[in-house]
Amino acid sequence: MTREEDIRKAVEVLRKGGVILYPTDTVWGIGCDATNSEAVKRVYDIKQRDDSKALICLVDSDARLQRYIRKVPDVAWQLLDCCDKPTTVILDGAVNLAENLIAEDGSVGIRITQEPFSKELCFRFQKALVSTSANISGEPAAQNYPDIDPKIIEAVDYVCWSRRQEHKPHKPSSIIKLTEDGQVTIIRK
């Protein structure tokens, strides 16, 4: 299967409200349409995760990020410009996303991916994509496809073929919270 076919099939499933497993710029992820609350609920169920613990979103560009944050602070752009590894920013003022994806304080974690497969997937889907590590809550993140629990593979609607053969170390993203009033908190280095 070509990468193009793989992405086309994944997008088809996402548009129907399905849940996919896919390689990201960090670890393997469970993904769905970040604007579809039913799909987001399924991701929480698959991970066996309390829905009070927020999930993050993946987007392909600065422009797409701005569709989901009321006002992106200048410090966020500066931070994203200087990061040399995948970095998720938690920003206030989340909009146009599923309610069960937005934290109680109105914030959401979002990352602009530069990795070719996930970037193309986000571009073709034309929406934010939920991106949470492909593991049962509390278990180690799946760095590579063989690390994914079979229960998760069985629970999703589509498993991407791209990068399944890969065997190399991957780490979750850094996470930095930026508030509208300028406070910066490093959640995960």
Side-chain angles (χ1 to χ4, degrees):
M1 174 179 296
T2 67
R3 188 173 92 174
E4 179 95 7
E5 290 170 321
D6 199 13
I7 288 171
R8 188 174 36 75
K9 288 187 177 194
V11 167
E12 196 175 287
V13 169
L14 292 166
R15 287 192 176 134
K16 291 178 181 172
V19 175
I20 67 168
L21 266 178
Y22 67 109
T24 75
D25 54 340
T26 58
V27 296
W28 269 74
I30 302 172
C32 71
D33 178 348
T35 68
N36 181 327
S37 57
E38 294 284 317
V40 171
K41 183 185 180 317
R42 273 194 62 210
V43 171
Y44 277 114
D45 292 346
I46 290 167
K47 280 189 69 80
Q48 300 173 26
R49 184 175 181 160
D50 181 356
D51 66 7
S52 68
K53 291 185 176 181
L55 302 173
I56 69 161
C57 299
L58 212 56
V59 294
D60 64 315
S61 65
D62 294 358
R64 188 108 44 225
L65 182 140
Q66 292 179 82
R67 289 184 188 177
Y68 302 108
I69 303 296
R70 196 169 286 113
K71 182 184 181 318
V72 180
D74 288 340
V75 68
W77 295 123
Q78 293 164 5
L79 176 72
L80 293 171
D81 285 344
C82 72
C83 287
D84 58 355
K85 69 178 253 184
T87 301
T88 301
V89 289
I90 300 173
L91 299 170
D92 293 333
V95 293
N96 304 319
L97 293 166
E99 286 182 21
N100 53 347
L101 193 58
I102 300 170
E104 282 184 29
D105 66 0
S107 68
V108 69
I110 198 161
R111 184 168 75 248
I112 302 170
T113 181
Q114 300 302 327
E115 183 273 328
F117 182 85
S118 55
K119 187 174 186 80
E120 181 74 11
L121 178 62
C122 290
F123 175 75
R124 296 274 177 211
F125 185 50
Q126 294 287 298
K127 291 184 188 177
L129 194 60
V130 163
S131 183
T132 183
S133 56
N135 61 313
I136 304 293
S137 192
E139 298 291 320
Q143 293 184 36
N144 296 287
Y145 178 75
D147 302 329
I148 302 170
D149 187 313
K151 289 181 217 152
I152 290 179
I153 295 169
E154 292 166 19
V156 301
D157 302 304
Y158 182 72
V159 180
C160 291
W161 287 93
S162 297
R163 293 180 47 205
R164 280 195 195 184
Q165 305 308 316
E166 191 173 270
H167 292 287
K168 62 182 190 180
H170 294 279
K171 292 182 183 173
S173 70
S174 296
I175 302 176
I176 300 172
K177 183 171 177 64
L178 305 170
T179 60
E180 285 178 352
D181 63 2
Q183 290 183 12
V184 177
T185 307
I186 297 171
I187 308 288
R188 180 172 66 204
K189 284 189 176 189

